[in-house]
Amino acid sequence: MVKEKDKKEKPETKKTTKEEKPNAKADKEKTAKAAKKTEKTEKAETPVEETPEKPGKVEETGKTEPAAEETEALVETTTEKFEFQSEVQQLLHILVYSLYQHKEVFVRELISNAVDALNKVQFESLLNSDIEDKDLDFRIDITLDKDKKKFIIEDTGIGMTKEELVENIGTIAHSGTVEFIKRLSESENADKMNLIGQFGVGFYSSFMAADEIHVHTRSYQKGSKGLLWKSKGDNNYTIEEKGKKHRGTRIELFLKEDEKEFLEKYRIKSIIGAHSKFVPFPIYLESEKIDSKEAIWTQPKSQLKEKDYNEFFRFFQNATDDPETYIHLSSDAPVQFNAVMYIPKVNSEIYGWVKSDPGLDLYSRKVLIQKSCRDILPEYFRFIKGVVDSEDIPLNISRETIQSNIRVDKIRKFILKKVFDHFAEIKSKDMEKYLNIWKNFQRNFKEGVPNEFEYREQLAALLLFNSSKTPKDKYTDLDQYIERMPADQYEIYYVMGANYDAIEKNPALEAFKKKNMEVLYFLDPMEAWAVDHLQTYKGKMFRPVEAADIKLEDEEAEKKQKEDEKEKEEFKEAENLVTYLKTIYGAKIEDVKISQRLVDSPCILVSSKSGPSPQLERIMRMQNQKADFSKKVLEINPKNKLIHEMIRIHKLNPVSPELKTLALQLLDNMILREGVFEEIDYIVPRIHDIMYEAAKSVQPVESKE
């Protein structure tokens, strides 16, 4: 049926049959008058009789002429010519003449459009049973015609009317198009590719590979006619009535001479596998159904079992192992999205040093819009693999737009909180599983502390450490450390070393062990790096055991020790050695003091109050950074036998060359212990001299007769 409004806009044309053909000219005026009379008087809907004959030509007056052929004829309508919107013209020029890489994006865009059309007609079929070809299957077909160099994609979707063709393809019906075109024209090639698709312009990417495009379409509306849209990518396009038998859209791309790769089945198959393997409708390539997988993230959790999640992970990641754990999220507010994320059992980064790409892919309506999206999870969680899908995000959106998209930001905050909650729950309920995660991805957690601000304390709560109160193969966390702290302890103490055994021999631990105070052991430089940025945890400051302002000796005991006459004399002699050492060392160190922390070791080199921690300095040296490191404080232990002998030598001969050699080596030993080898050419010969003198002192053993 033709609506009254349509009749006013365009006079009804009569279709001629073979029998009527000889009288067509005679009846022409009568037909026109009858149509005019009907419009003025009856104002009623008039059925248009459908015949299988070929259309004749329609002049702009609306009158018909008989077809030239004597075979079956239908009425052929006049081809109408349109100009593209000015912004579209600029866009087409950029696409056709300025871009040369990643042309395969047009395949993804055309499939996305087909999926959107199928989704719409599927929805309409639920509301309205009276649609064109209601029993037609929902599907996408791709055909490669090598002889005619045509790439053809056809869907059984909602189709388009003439008005929709003009609106959807002839214009960019969205706000901000001028700014978009400006950014596209000014961007480098790589950035242009990221911008393709914004504001619904994904269809035009086809002109990167095609000289000419034909769009055959027929709307889902009952009684609609087939239309043909044509363009060569210039300023114009045409629309004509052309019989398309069934509902949907068929797009024919007449490929450029150098774009024959898109006529190869394996090439198109790989593009579909990369971008469209989760679309909800079957895709047939050259009549072969492309393998796809059910989008598990859209299914209710109650209907899924662990084996379903594992099977999807193996398909999605092309993996042979099951994941360590997974997270399935669904949300309708504040923004709609579904997500399924996995923590693998294996770290894909080689030895933890080569960074992998982010593991989350961003989808919209089950169509991939960004692989390895960097804007959902922070970089340190790049090992988490999975899919985030939101219908609220446009199918075509650039990376730059994703970064500033408020919906994406809300998704990011929601997901990040759930990820932290998930790790915390595993850590509290299944420590064995958490240790497996920690073993593989501990460097990622540590890497995140300096870079995370909003969730820094939640991330710190997930860290594990060795400790002076745990066996070598066991761990503790910061909350457990705080729970064991004495009431009068206000700081978290830590020490760094190459391994557990080396730390155990660190002289800075002697006083802590004597007082049974726990110290965290940092075996990885990244732990010290993290703590230097963390600074505090739940109000407790981190403090390296070598820090110069730590004083563990009881002040009353110290006072009593100084009051004892003998101790007082020994203390004075030790002070004299301190003065001597300051003279020998000069500007090499900041100060020399008598230690209140050492029990057995002769000396220790500690940081000044204003300087960075020894751990941070070591890391900076490992990275070959040239920095003006702070001077250290040397603490000596008068109770140690070596220092005791040096005090004795100084008392006998303050200018003894042997004493000077011992003093220099004493400091160099501590510098070497920190991993600094800048004066190694002086240190080694001095060691040899000390060894020589020790060897000379050995006397022959007298034989007993």
Side-chain angles (χ1 to χ4, degrees), residues 496-513:
M496 181 178 172
N499 53 64
Y500 189 94
D501 294 331
I503 289 178
E504 283 282 293
K505 297 175 182 177
N506 191 318
L509 289 177
E510 292 174 359
F512 288 88
K513 289 181 178 179

Side-chain angles (χ1 to χ4, degrees), residues 510-572:
E510 292 174 359
F512 288 88
K513 289 181 178 179
K514 185 177 180 180
K515 291 183 171 290
N516 196 31
M517 297 183 68
E518 185 173 11
V519 177
L520 297 177
Y521 290 0
F522 291 175
L523 309 183
D524 181 355
M526 290 187 70
E527 294 171 337
W529 182 263
V531 163
D532 270 303
H533 286 82
L534 193 58
Q535 295 294 315
T536 65
Y537 180 76
K538 294 188 175 179
K540 308 291 185 182
M541 289 283 296
F542 286 92
R543 186 76 66 187
V545 295
E546 300 97 337
D549 57 349
I550 291 180
K551 190 173 184 180
L552 298 175
E553 287 290 342
D554 186 86
E555 294 183 0
E556 291 297 324
E558 181 184 345
K559 183 178 179 182
K560 183 178 180 182
Q561 181 183 16
K562 291 180 179 180
E563 289 176 352
D564 185 273
E565 288 298 325
K566 184 178 179 181
E567 294 288 345
K568 188 176 181 180
E569 182 63 26
E570 290 178 354
F571 183 82
K572 182 179 180 181

Side-chain angles (χ1 to χ4, degrees), residues 18-72:
K18 283 192 257 185
E19 291 74 24
E20 295 173 322
K21 187 175 176 183
N23 300 319
K25 286 185 178 180
D27 294 335
K28 200 189 307 182
E29 281 186 41
K30 188 188 291 185
T31 302
K33 289 179 181 179
K36 212 177 265 187
K37 182 178 178 181
T38 302
E39 179 177 309
K40 290 180 179 180
T41 59
E42 296 181 12
K43 301 292 182 180
E45 292 187 345
T46 305
V48 178
E49 188 176 83
E50 295 288 338
T51 68
E53 293 139 345
K54 184 176 179 180
K57 181 178 178 181
V58 178
E59 296 181 337
E60 293 192 7
T61 59
K63 298 178 181 180
T64 63
E65 292 182 353
E69 298 87 350
E70 291 295 324
T71 57
E72 292 183 340

Side-chain angles (χ1 to χ4, degrees), residues 151-167:
F151 174 95
I152 305 166
I153 179 170
E154 184 169 9
D155 65 69
T156 55
I158 199 162
M160 287 178 281
T161 63
K162 176 182 172 182
E163 291 76 14
E164 288 168 340
L165 274 174
V166 174
E167 180 181 356

Side-chain angles (χ1 to χ4, degrees), residues 508-662:
L509 289 177
E510 292 174 359
F512 288 88
K513 289 181 178 179
K514 185 177 180 180
K515 291 183 171 290
N516 196 31
M517 297 183 68
E518 185 173 11
V519 177
L520 297 177
Y521 290 0
F522 291 175
L523 309 183
D524 181 355
M526 290 187 70
E527 294 171 337
W529 182 263
V531 163
D532 270 303
H533 286 82
L534 193 58
Q535 295 294 315
T536 65
Y537 180 76
K538 294 188 175 179
K540 308 291 185 182
M541 289 283 296
F542 286 92
R543 186 76 66 187
V545 295
E546 300 97 337
D549 57 349
I550 291 180
K551 190 173 184 180
L552 298 175
E553 287 290 342
D554 186 86
E555 294 183 0
E556 291 297 324
E558 181 184 345
K559 183 178 179 182
K560 183 178 180 182
Q561 181 183 16
K562 291 180 179 180
E563 289 176 352
D564 185 273
E565 288 298 325
K566 184 178 179 181
E567 294 288 345
K568 188 176 181 180
E569 182 63 26
E570 290 178 354
F571 183 82
K572 182 179 180 181
E573 292 173 355
E575 287 282 8
N576 292 336
L577 178 63
V578 166
T579 303
Y580 170 81
L581 293 176
K582 289 179 181 180
T583 303
I584 295 297
Y585 299 147
K588 286 186 176 182
I589 60 173
E590 181 178 291
D591 201 2
V592 181
K593 295 180 178 180
I594 295 176
S595 179
Q596 303 298 325
R597 75 179 80 206
L598 295 176
V599 178
D600 299 315
S601 300
C603 61
I604 186 173
L605 200 61
V606 298
S607 302
S608 65
K609 293 181 180 180
S610 59
S613 69
Q615 288 75 22
L616 183 57
E617 289 191 7
R618 289 177 195 173
I619 294 172
M620 295 171 72
R621 286 193 177 97
M622 287 172 62
Q623 297 175 342
N624 294 320
Q625 294 186 19
K626 300 295 182 181
D628 185 17
F629 296 112
S630 61
K631 294 178 181 179
K632 302 296 180 65
V633 175
L634 181 70
E635 293 184 3
I636 63 171
N637 177 16
K639 297 177 182 179
N640 176 267
K641 58 185 179 181
L642 174 59
I643 301 300
H644 185 77
E645 286 301 312
M646 290 179 67
I647 292 173
R648 182 185 64 80
I649 296 172
H650 180 265
K651 185 177 180 181
L652 294 174
N653 182 11
V655 294
S656 168
E658 291 81 8
L659 181 61
K660 182 178 180 180
T661 299
L662 291 172

